Amino acid sequence: MAEEFDFETRALRTGIHRSQFNEHSEALYLTSSFVFDSAAQAAARFAQQEAGYIYSRFTNPTVSAFEERLAALEGAPCCLATASGMAAILATVMGLLRSGEHIVASRSIFGATVQLFTQVLPKFGVETTFVSATEPAEWARAVRPNTRLLFVETPSNPLTEISDLRALAEVARSAGAWLAVDNCFCTPALQRPFELGADLVIHSATKYLDGQGRVLGGAVLGPRELVMDGIYPFLRTAGPSMSPFNAWVILKGLETLKLRMQAHSDNALRLARWLEAQPAVERVYYPGLPSHPQHALAMRQQATGGGIVSFVVKGGREAAWRVIDSTRMISITANLGDVKTTITHPATTTHGRISPEARAAAGIGEGLLRLAVGLESVADLQTDLARGLAQIA
């Protein structure tokens, strides 16, 4: 049924399975386990010989509703929900890769993902090579006979670098590897990685999918043979699962996803243009600006520039912190995707745990600030930022 409808309708009408009470809003099933009609039925379900719910670590109707709706929006055969975005990445790697295999990843990825790839996975015999997000030729050169996964987030965090997904998909196909795309910044409302050749799409549902900074969640989407045959057994056993309550909150968040992403993008573009005109600002990173190095690619690959704006102020860390500390309305927090605008200093927060050398290679300097632009008045956001910028002009 989902294929019949446009995006906005799928966001409202998929994933609805009414109970005997025929409720209009989606039901929330807060239960740890499910009752069987007989011992034989219990045995059949545990043996996966009969479909049905067993235990909320790996089967729950509310979580299934979220998975169905997000799969419809991304255009994916199936979806697996997880406890967080990082849990989705971990489950993907642990479910699909073996000791001795290799990942090629963008060096412009979230700091916790870098930590996972450099500090945790090597303990299990999985090695990662980091390359430029914007140079497909580097990816091709980094491929080895044992490469199984190419991992990229586009736009990147925090510099909004844009990776050419069609080109990376070709590299992956030539290598016999899978391309996984972190679609957190754009969501399916703005970017459809499967249509550009991706094998897997990963989300931190904590961000824009929820949209109001309320709960944690993650998801990985793709073909059944990868998601259900490869990744699901890890989730069932290890348990990095999404809670039913969180699934219900994010499920409702999806209803307004397209409206919110358009509004975030409109505000971000206006604010980015304003920042470019400020004397204290050395550079603005926003895919919707013609000055962005991959602007043309972004406009082919995305519907809009998205809601993330990063900018460099003159004066390094001291000046950057002055801008942050001078705000009175904008929230000082590292989370993003909220209707409320947030500001952070990536070098000492989201990317603070990686080495100075790795930060330098990723272009994350001491004067860099990241704004996740919310839905407030742009004039009020400008006033809040101008207070600190005026002190360093």
Side-chain angles (χ1 to χ4, degrees), residues 16-366:
I16 297 176
H17 302 279
R18 295 189 173 97
S19 74
Q20 70 270 30
F21 302 111
N22 213 28
E23 64 280 347
H24 189 224
S25 181
E26 296 83 349
L28 170 54
Y29 292 93
L30 289 178
T31 181
S32 58
S33 63
F34 299 84
V35 177
F36 309 107
D37 294 334
S38 65
Q41 185 186 63
R45 289 191 180 178
F46 270 87
Q48 295 181 289
Q49 296 169 348
E50 176 184 305
Y53 295 101
I54 300 170
Y55 186 55
S56 284
R57 187 178 73 238
F58 54 95
T59 52
N60 179 278
T62 310
V63 176
S64 296
F66 163 73
E67 291 169 337
E68 184 177 331
R69 184 169 293 177
L70 183 57
L73 297 183
E74 279 285 10
C78 61
C79 171
L80 188 63
T82 61
S84 66
M86 289 308 304
I89 298 171
L90 175 66
T92 298
V93 175
M94 299 300 284
L96 296 180
L97 272 66
R98 298 180 179 181
S99 179
E101 294 185 332
H102 177 245
I103 299 170
V104 180
S106 165
R107 65 173 61 97
S108 302
I109 53 178
F110 181 50
T113 311
V114 175
Q115 290 292 104
L116 175 66
F117 286 179
T118 59
Q119 304 299 317
V120 178
L121 295 185
K123 297 177 182 179
F124 299 92
V126 176
E127 186 179 352
T128 302
T129 299
F130 293 94
V131 295
S132 168
T134 60
E135 298 294 336
E138 281 195 32
W139 294 73
R141 289 194 297 269
V143 165
R144 304 174 185 174
N146 61 337
T147 301
R148 293 293 175 268
L149 182 70
L150 275 61
F151 183 91
V152 65
E153 61 181 59
T154 181
S156 71
N157 184 8
L159 295 181
T160 70
E161 292 174 294
I162 308 298
S163 300
D164 188 332
L165 293 183
R166 291 191 187 279
L168 295 187
E170 183 57 38
V171 173
R173 280 193 295 271
S174 298
W178 302 298
L179 173 63
V181 179
D182 185 328
N183 200 26
C184 172
F185 273 23
C186 277
T187 81
L190 303 185
Q191 179 171 260
R192 306 264 288 181
F194 289 117
E195 296 176 3
L196 300 170
D199 298 292
L200 295 162
V201 169
I202 292 173
H203 280 284
S204 172
T206 310
K207 310 302 191 296
Y208 289 112
L209 300 189
D210 169 22
Q212 295 188 49
R214 298 168 292 192
V215 298
L216 298 179
V220 55
L221 302 96
R224 181 162 294 275
E225 60 269 22
L226 293 182
V227 175
M228 298 309 297
D229 298 341
I231 302 170
Y232 172 74
F234 173 80
L235 180 134
R236 176 172 180 163
T237 301
S241 314
M242 179 180 284
S243 77
F245 179 79
N246 290 11
W248 183 83
V249 171
I250 303 168
L251 179 70
K252 302 304 289 181
L254 291 177
E255 294 178 343
T256 59
L257 180 62
K258 191 164 187 178
L259 291 171
R260 287 187 286 104
M261 293 309 297
Q262 186 60 58
H264 282 297
S265 300
D266 291 346
N267 280 4
L269 180 58
R270 290 177 59 193
L271 196 59
R273 287 171 173 163
W274 177 81
L275 284 167
E276 276 198 316
Q278 303 310 302
V281 175
E282 289 184 350
R283 183 172 181 180
V284 178
Y285 298 91
Y286 182 66
L289 291 175
S291 59
H292 192 282
Q294 295 91 42
H295 172 70
L297 174 61
M299 294 302 96
R300 293 196 303 270
Q301 202 161 266
Q302 303 171 196
T304 69
I308 305 299
V309 178
S310 291
F311 61 103
V312 179
V313 295
K314 300 172 182 176
R317 180 189 295 192
E318 181 182 352
W321 282 16
R322 188 175 300 131
V323 173
I324 292 175
D325 292 344
S326 296
T327 59
R328 298 175 186 169
M329 177 189 66
I330 296 172
S331 302
I332 306 171
T333 180
N335 193 38
L336 61 92
D338 201 311
V339 291
K340 303 178 184 71
T341 298
T342 67
I343 190 168
T344 194
H345 182 247
T348 53
T349 58
T350 57
H351 293 70
R353 289 191 297 157
I354 66 176
S355 69
E357 294 77 17
R359 284 198 299 273
I364 300 169
E366 292 291 335

